[in-house]
Amino acid sequence: MMNGRLSFLSKRLSASRNSSSKFIALSLLPALLLVVTFTYYPFGRGIVMAFQNYQLFDLTDVHFIGFDNFKGIFSDPKFLGALTNSAYWVFVSLILQFVIGLTIALMLNKKFRGRGLFQGFVFYPWALSGFLIGLIWKWLFNSQIGVINDLLLRVGLIDERIGFLSDPNWAMFSVIVANVWYGIAFFAIMLLAALQSVPSELYEAGSMDGAGGVRKLFNITLPYIMPTVLTTTLLRAIWIFNDPSIIYGLTNGGPAGKTHILSSLMLDRIMYGGDYGAASAIGIVMIGILLLYTIFYLTVTRAGKLGDF
């Protein structure tokens, strides 16, 4: 009798588990379909197109051409210039965003009157789209009616208006300024959250040992928040590398391609040339660069061994 009850309960439990598994699988199916449709399928399709002659204006002649698209982009001076610009764009933007963001986070970590209002001003840019920020700074940098030129003239730093977005010597500097203003908020938010988790006892112990503010920063604060620093710099570098929206809003890659990065050049090949094959080849190169960068970064910094951020 007892064995019969145990067998019955075992069957009921097994049936319940099977029912739960089916319910979970059905619940995950819509999300899985969305991921496959909007992530994996475009990714796979892009790999295929990178090896095809895929011209939007001549879809009757789509065929495989091997590595011709890759040969074409690597022999293109615009691609090589965009590759150099991408490295400069990411490195300078990332360094300035991190340093200024950390400075602001350290300020916001202290209590002072109006701190909440100041936080709102600091975090505000992160709520805007990159393209909108590009348009805002396009007006600010305008050579005729721009506020920046007007202020520089008023304080006597320049004698005539500067074409920040039309002058090849100033264009890259200008888009980096806009990108830094945009990205400071991300570092300020993330680093402020990390700073607020540092135990006050560590600072008290440092004060007892005679440590000053600079020594506390380098011996207590930065080591404690290092997992957050490494993770945020890795993520932000990838985002800066991939995001052409600010450049498109400001200069559209001009003048004469001087502000093109790889992602903006890829969009340019699609929007103005209709060359999906070459654009896909650029995308594959970008993925390869990001993979190598991520592996190198994680290996050198050993970020994976530092725990959660």
Side-chain angles (χ1 to χ4, degrees):
M1 187 73 174
M2 183 62 68
N3 290 335
R5 288 184 177 180
L6 290 175
S7 176
F8 175 75
L9 290 175
S10 176
K11 290 180 180 180
R12 288 290 301 272
L13 182 60
S14 177
S16 177
R17 287 177 178 174
N18 290 334
S19 177
S20 298
S21 299
K22 291 179 181 179
F23 176 76
I24 293 172
L26 289 174
S27 299
L28 293 175
L29 186 59
L32 181 61
L33 289 175
L34 288 174
V35 171
V36 170
T37 303
F38 294 104
T39 301
Y40 294 114
Y41 173 75
F43 176 71
R45 190 74 184 91
I47 293 177
V48 173
M49 285 194 295
F51 298 94
Q52 289 180 324
N53 175 54
Y54 200 105
Q55 301 285 340
L56 181 63
F57 303 111
D58 189 12
L59 294 177
T60 60
D61 191 30
V62 176
H63 60 276
F64 282 93
I65 56 175
F67 289 92
D68 286 358
N69 283 323
F70 293 93
K71 293 177 183 178
I73 62 173
F74 278 108
S75 61
D76 185 359
K78 287 186 178 180
F79 174 81
L80 300 178
L83 184 62
T84 303
N85 286 344
S86 295
Y88 183 73
W89 160 261
V90 172
F91 180 77
V92 177
S93 297
L94 186 67
I95 294 298
L96 293 177
Q97 287 178 12
F98 171 74
V99 172
I100 300 174
L102 176 62
T103 303
I104 293 175
L106 290 170
M107 293 171 55
L108 292 176
N109 198 38
K110 301 181 183 297
K111 294 182 179 180
F112 59 88
R113 181 173 295 180
R115 184 174 67 165
L117 182 63
F118 188 68
Q119 284 179 340
F121 281 115
V122 171
F123 299 158
Y124 169 72
W126 196 245
L128 302 176
S129 69
F131 186 77
L132 178 59
I133 287 173
L135 294 179
I136 292 172
W137 280 90
K138 189 173 185 176
W139 282 102
L140 293 175
F141 280 125
N142 189 281
S143 59
Q144 300 302 318
I145 59 173
V147 174
I148 294 177
N149 265 303
D150 186 60
L151 290 176
L152 293 176
L153 285 170
R154 288 177 182 274
V155 299
L157 292 178
I158 59 175
D159 297 324
E160 58 182 13
R161 294 181 178 274
I162 299 174
F164 286 104
L165 304 179
S166 58
D167 188 339
N169 297 318
W170 285 100
M172 198 63 187
F173 164 81
S174 303
V175 295
I176 287 177
V177 168
N179 192 40
V180 169
W181 181 78
Y182 175 51
I184 286 173
F186 171 75
F187 280 108
I189 294 169
M190 300 302 294
L191 296 179
L192 177 61
L195 288 171
Q196 291 175 344
S197 68
V198 180
S200 58
E201 293 82 4
L202 295 178
Y203 294 117
E204 294 173 1
S207 299
M208 293 177 63
D209 291 337
V214 176
R215 189 176 171 187
K216 288 179 182 178
L217 174 64
F218 286 98
N219 291 345
I220 298 175
T221 305
L222 288 179
Y224 196 90
I225 67 171
M226 190 54 64
T228 302
V229 170
L230 294 177
T231 305
T232 51
T233 50
L234 173 63
L235 291 175
R236 190 68 189 127
I238 294 173
W239 294 343
I240 294 172
F241 183 80
N242 281 329
D243 187 9
S245 57
I246 290 179
I247 288 178
Y248 249 81
L250 267 169
T251 63
N252 203 22
K258 292 296 183 180
T259 59
H260 263 316
I261 59 175
L262 290 179
S263 56
S264 64
L265 182 64
M266 179 178 66
L267 286 179
D268 194 73
R269 290 294 181 89
I270 294 173
M271 296 176 65
Y272 299 104
D275 193 347
Y276 279 73
S280 298
I282 295 174
I284 297 300
V285 172
M286 290 175 60
I287 291 172
I289 292 173
L290 289 177
L291 284 174
L292 291 175
Y293 164 74
T294 303
I295 293 171
F296 173 79
Y297 184 90
L298 294 178
T299 301
V300 171
T301 61
R302 298 180 180 178
K305 299 180 180 180
L306 293 177
D308 298 330
F309 75 100

PDB file of all heavy atoms in Angstrom, residues 4-5 19 21-22 31 45 56 62 91 109 137 163 191 230 247 249-250 255 262 274 304:
ATOM      1  N   GLY A   4       2.619   1.763  -3.257  1.00  0.00           N
ATOM      2  CA  GLY A   4       1.713   2.297  -4.270  1.00  0.00           C
ATOM      3  C   GLY A   4       1.546   3.799  -4.150  1.00  0.00           C
ATOM      4  O   GLY A   4       1.517   4.516  -5.162  1.00  0.00           O
ATOM      5  N   ARG A   5       1.425   4.281  -2.881  1.00  0.00           N
ATOM      6  CA  ARG A   5       1.301   5.725  -2.682  1.00  0.00           C
ATOM      7  C   ARG A   5       2.564   6.454  -3.114  1.00  0.00           C
ATOM      8  O   ARG A   5       2.499   7.525  -3.736  1.00  0.00           O
ATOM      9  CB  ARG A   5       1.005   6.015  -1.215  1.00  0.00           C
ATOM     10  CG  ARG A   5      -0.401   5.632  -0.796  1.00  0.00           C
ATOM     11  CD  ARG A   5      -0.645   6.037   0.648  1.00  0.00           C
ATOM     12  NE  ARG A   5      -2.005   5.738   1.050  1.00  0.00           N
ATOM     13  CZ  ARG A   5      -2.492   5.983   2.260  1.00  0.00           C
ATOM     14  NH1 ARG A   5      -1.692   6.541   3.190  1.00  0.00           N
ATOM     15  NH2 ARG A   5      -3.736   5.694   2.558  1.00  0.00           N
ATOM     16  N   SER A  19       5.390  19.541 -16.612  1.00  0.00           N
ATOM     17  CA  SER A  19       4.473  20.641 -16.920  1.00  0.00           C
ATOM     18  C   SER A  19       5.149  21.991 -16.693  1.00  0.00           C
ATOM     19  O   SER A  19       4.997  22.910 -17.501  1.00  0.00           O
ATOM     20  CB  SER A  19       3.221  20.528 -16.056  1.00  0.00           C
ATOM     21  OG  SER A  19       2.347  21.610 -16.294  1.00  0.00           O
ATOM     22  N   SER A  21       8.375  22.598 -16.809  1.00  0.00           N
ATOM     23  CA  SER A  21       9.401  22.770 -17.836  1.00  0.00           C
ATOM     24  C   SER A  21       8.787  23.249 -19.144  1.00  0.00           C
ATOM     25  O   SER A  21       9.326  24.139 -19.820  1.00  0.00           O
ATOM     26  CB  SER A  21      10.160  21.457 -18.057  1.00  0.00           C
ATOM     27  OG  SER A  21      10.813  21.038 -16.874  1.00  0.00           O
ATOM     28  N   LYS A  22       7.640  22.676 -19.506  1.00  0.00           N
ATOM     29  CA  LYS A  22       6.965  23.097 -20.734  1.00  0.00           C
ATOM     30  C   LYS A  22       6.489  24.539 -20.628  1.00  0.00           C
ATOM     31  O   LYS A  22       6.590  25.315 -21.581  1.00  0.00           O
ATOM     32  CB  LYS A  22       5.784  22.178 -21.013  1.00  0.00           C
ATOM     33  CG  LYS A  22       6.187  20.759 -21.419  1.00  0.00           C
ATOM     34  CD  LYS A  22       4.950  19.903 -21.653  1.00  0.00           C
ATOM     35  CE  LYS A  22       5.350  18.473 -22.041  1.00  0.00           C
ATOM     36  NZ  LYS A  22       4.154  17.614 -22.248  1.00  0.00           N
ATOM     37  N   ALA A  31      10.576  35.569 -26.305  1.00  0.00           N
ATOM     38  CA  ALA A  31      11.836  36.311 -26.157  1.00  0.00           C
ATOM     39  C   ALA A  31      12.919  35.722 -27.048  1.00  0.00           C
ATOM     40  O   ALA A  31      13.701  36.448 -27.681  1.00  0.00           O
ATOM     41  CB  ALA A  31      12.286  36.300 -24.699  1.00  0.00           C
ATOM     42  N   ARG A  45      23.183  37.236 -41.441  1.00  0.00           N
ATOM     43  CA  ARG A  45      22.961  37.794 -42.781  1.00  0.00           C
ATOM     44  C   ARG A  45      24.071  38.768 -43.141  1.00  0.00           C
ATOM     45  O   ARG A  45      24.499  38.840 -44.302  1.00  0.00           O
ATOM     46  CB  ARG A  45      21.607  38.516 -42.807  1.00  0.00           C
ATOM     47  CG  ARG A  45      21.161  38.917 -44.197  1.00  0.00           C
ATOM     48  CD  ARG A  45      20.701  37.723 -44.996  1.00  0.00           C
ATOM     49  NE  ARG A  45      20.364  38.096 -46.358  1.00  0.00           N
ATOM     50  CZ  ARG A  45      21.208  38.089 -47.376  1.00  0.00           C
ATOM     51  NH1 ARG A  45      22.459  37.709 -47.193  1.00  0.00           N
ATOM     52  NH2 ARG A  45      20.817  38.431 -48.590  1.00  0.00           N
ATOM     53  N   LEU A  56      22.469  47.843 -53.383  1.00  0.00           N
ATOM     54  CA  LEU A  56      21.048  48.129 -53.222  1.00  0.00           C
ATOM     55  C   LEU A  56      20.398  48.555 -54.536  1.00  0.00           C
ATOM     56  O   LEU A  56      19.236  48.267 -54.778  1.00  0.00           O
ATOM     57  CB  LEU A  56      20.856  49.229 -52.163  1.00  0.00           C
ATOM     58  CG  LEU A  56      19.417  49.632 -51.844  1.00  0.00           C
ATOM     59  CD1 LEU A  56      18.642  48.460 -51.256  1.00  0.00           C
ATOM     60  CD2 LEU A  56      19.389  50.812 -50.878  1.00  0.00           C
ATOM     61  N   VAL A  62      23.213  40.060 -57.389  1.00  0.00           N
ATOM     62  CA  VAL A  62      23.760  39.649 -56.097  1.00  0.00           C
ATOM     63  C   VAL A  62      24.432  38.286 -56.255  1.00  0.00           C
ATOM     64  O   VAL A  62      23.789  37.317 -56.659  1.00  0.00           O
ATOM     65  CB  VAL A  62      22.648  39.570 -55.025  1.00  0.00           C
ATOM     66  CG1 VAL A  62      23.211  39.048 -53.711  1.00  0.00           C
ATOM     67  CG2 VAL A  62      22.016  40.944 -54.825  1.00  0.00           C
ATOM     68  N   PHE A  91      40.210  56.601 -27.742  1.00  0.00           N
ATOM     69  CA  PHE A  91      41.217  56.812 -26.690  1.00  0.00           C
ATOM     70  C   PHE A  91      41.041  58.157 -26.004  1.00  0.00           C
ATOM     71  O   PHE A  91      40.946  58.231 -24.771  1.00  0.00           O
ATOM     72  CB  PHE A  91      42.620  56.705 -27.297  1.00  0.00           C
ATOM     73  CG  PHE A  91      43.724  56.916 -26.298  1.00  0.00           C
ATOM     74  CD1 PHE A  91      44.070  55.901 -25.417  1.00  0.00           C
ATOM     75  CD2 PHE A  91      44.393  58.123 -26.236  1.00  0.00           C
ATOM     76  CE1 PHE A  91      45.084  56.097 -24.476  1.00  0.00           C
ATOM     77  CE2 PHE A  91      45.408  58.325 -25.304  1.00  0.00           C
ATOM     78  CZ  PHE A  91      45.751  57.312 -24.422  1.00  0.00           C
ATOM     79  N   ASN A 109      30.090  62.791  -4.114  1.00  0.00           N
ATOM     80  CA  ASN A 109      30.115  61.866  -2.982  1.00  0.00           C
ATOM     81  C   ASN A 109      30.192  62.593  -1.649  1.00  0.00           C
ATOM     82  O   ASN A 109      30.040  61.983  -0.594  1.00  0.00           O
ATOM     83  CB  ASN A 109      31.301  60.910  -3.113  1.00  0.00           C
ATOM     84  CG  ASN A 109      31.157  59.675  -2.245  1.00  0.00           C
ATOM     85  OD1 ASN A 109      30.059  59.134  -2.090  1.00  0.00           O
ATOM     86  ND2 ASN A 109      32.247  59.227  -1.652  1.00  0.00           N
ATOM     87  N   TRP A 137      25.183  70.488 -30.303  1.00  0.00           N
ATOM     88  CA  TRP A 137      26.552  70.998 -30.402  1.00  0.00           C
ATOM     89  C   TRP A 137      26.832  71.579 -31.785  1.00  0.00           C
ATOM     90  O   TRP A 137      27.720  72.425 -31.941  1.00  0.00           O
ATOM     91  CB  TRP A 137      27.547  69.904 -30.047  1.00  0.00           C
ATOM     92  CG  TRP A 137      27.682  69.726 -28.566  1.00  0.00           C
ATOM     93  CD1 TRP A 137      26.972  68.895 -27.761  1.00  0.00           C
ATOM     94  CD2 TRP A 137      28.579  70.442 -27.707  1.00  0.00           C
ATOM     95  NE1 TRP A 137      27.369  69.037 -26.449  1.00  0.00           N
ATOM     96  CE2 TRP A 137      28.355  69.980 -26.389  1.00  0.00           C
ATOM     97  CE3 TRP A 137      29.546  71.419 -27.920  1.00  0.00           C
ATOM     98  CZ2 TRP A 137      29.074  70.453 -25.296  1.00  0.00           C
ATOM     99  CZ3 TRP A 137      30.268  71.900 -26.832  1.00  0.00           C
ATOM    100  CH2 TRP A 137      30.025  71.426 -25.535  1.00  0.00           C
ATOM    101  N   GLY A 163      35.685  78.106 -37.944  1.00  0.00           N
ATOM    102  CA  GLY A 163      34.770  77.099 -38.492  1.00  0.00           C
ATOM    103  C   GLY A 163      35.075  75.740 -37.872  1.00  0.00           C
ATOM    104  O   GLY A 163      35.734  74.906 -38.505  1.00  0.00           O
ATOM    105  N   LEU A 191      30.500  55.549 -11.180  1.00  0.00           N
ATOM    106  CA  LEU A 191      31.556  55.692 -10.182  1.00  0.00           C
ATOM    107  C   LEU A 191      31.013  56.248  -8.865  1.00  0.00           C
ATOM    108  O   LEU A 191      31.508  55.885  -7.789  1.00  0.00           O
ATOM    109  CB  LEU A 191      32.664  56.591 -10.722  1.00  0.00           C
ATOM    110  CG  LEU A 191      33.409  56.040 -11.945  1.00  0.00           C
ATOM    111  CD1 LEU A 191      34.466  57.024 -12.420  1.00  0.00           C
ATOM    112  CD2 LEU A 191      34.058  54.690 -11.628  1.00  0.00           C
ATOM    113  N   LEU A 230      37.187  49.157 -14.209  1.00  0.00           N
ATOM    114  CA  LEU A 230      37.560  48.312 -15.344  1.00  0.00           C
ATOM    115  C   LEU A 230      36.353  47.939 -16.191  1.00  0.00           C
ATOM    116  O   LEU A 230      36.417  47.939 -17.421  1.00  0.00           O
ATOM    117  CB  LEU A 230      38.261  47.049 -14.847  1.00  0.00           C
ATOM    118  CG  LEU A 230      39.621  47.266 -14.163  1.00  0.00           C
ATOM    119  CD1 LEU A 230      40.181  45.944 -13.647  1.00  0.00           C
ATOM    120  CD2 LEU A 230      40.608  47.910 -15.123  1.00  0.00           C
ATOM    121  N   ILE A 247      28.681  61.932 -34.319  1.00  0.00           N
ATOM    122  CA  ILE A 247      29.394  62.371 -35.521  1.00  0.00           C
ATOM    123  C   ILE A 247      28.409  62.677 -36.645  1.00  0.00           C
ATOM    124  O   ILE A 247      28.554  63.674 -37.358  1.00  0.00           O
ATOM    125  CB  ILE A 247      30.422  61.306 -35.949  1.00  0.00           C
ATOM    126  CG1 ILE A 247      31.594  61.291 -34.960  1.00  0.00           C
ATOM    127  CG2 ILE A 247      30.927  61.554 -37.362  1.00  0.00           C
ATOM    128  CD1 ILE A 247      32.637  60.260 -35.246  1.00  0.00           C
ATOM    129  N   GLY A 249      25.306  63.592 -36.312  1.00  0.00           N
ATOM    130  CA  GLY A 249      24.562  64.801 -35.993  1.00  0.00           C
ATOM    131  C   GLY A 249      25.379  66.067 -36.166  1.00  0.00           C
ATOM    132  O   GLY A 249      24.840  67.125 -36.515  1.00  0.00           O
ATOM    133  N   LEU A 250      26.700  65.973 -35.944  1.00  0.00           N
ATOM    134  CA  LEU A 250      27.569  67.151 -36.013  1.00  0.00           C
ATOM    135  C   LEU A 250      28.119  67.406 -37.414  1.00  0.00           C
ATOM    136  O   LEU A 250      27.961  68.489 -37.973  1.00  0.00           O
ATOM    137  CB  LEU A 250      28.736  66.987 -35.034  1.00  0.00           C
ATOM    138  CG  LEU A 250      28.560  67.563 -33.627  1.00  0.00           C
ATOM    139  CD1 LEU A 250      29.671  67.083 -32.710  1.00  0.00           C
ATOM    140  CD2 LEU A 250      28.552  69.076 -33.683  1.00  0.00           C
ATOM    141  N   PRO A 255      34.622  67.405 -42.389  1.00  0.00           N
ATOM    142  CA  PRO A 255      34.756  67.761 -43.810  1.00  0.00           C
ATOM    143  C   PRO A 255      35.701  66.803 -44.540  1.00  0.00           C
ATOM    144  O   PRO A 255      36.744  66.424 -43.999  1.00  0.00           O
ATOM    145  CB  PRO A 255      35.365  69.175 -43.745  1.00  0.00           C
ATOM    146  CG  PRO A 255      36.134  69.173 -42.449  1.00  0.00           C
ATOM    147  CD  PRO A 255      35.373  68.298 -41.507  1.00  0.00           C
ATOM    148  N   LEU A 262      34.863  54.156 -38.115  1.00  0.00           N
ATOM    149  CA  LEU A 262      34.440  52.973 -38.859  1.00  0.00           C
ATOM    150  C   LEU A 262      32.918  52.829 -38.899  1.00  0.00           C
ATOM    151  O   LEU A 262      32.343  52.498 -39.940  1.00  0.00           O
ATOM    152  CB  LEU A 262      35.076  51.724 -38.260  1.00  0.00           C
ATOM    153  CG  LEU A 262      36.584  51.577 -38.468  1.00  0.00           C
ATOM    154  CD1 LEU A 262      37.092  50.294 -37.809  1.00  0.00           C
ATOM    155  CD2 LEU A 262      36.935  51.575 -39.949  1.00  0.00           C
ATOM    156  N   GLY A 274      24.688  52.612 -51.057  1.00  0.00           N
ATOM    157  CA  GLY A 274      23.869  51.421 -51.220  1.00  0.00           C
ATOM    158  C   GLY A 274      24.677  50.143 -51.309  1.00  0.00           C
ATOM    159  O   GLY A 274      24.174  49.117 -51.779  1.00  0.00           O
ATOM    160  N   GLY A 304      38.366  39.851 -14.900  1.00  0.00           N
ATOM    161  CA  GLY A 304      37.495  38.742 -14.551  1.00  0.00           C
ATOM    162  C   GLY A 304      37.743  38.194 -13.160  1.00  0.00           C
ATOM    163  O   GLY A 304      36.891  37.476 -12.606  1.00  0.00           O
TER     164      GLY A 304
END
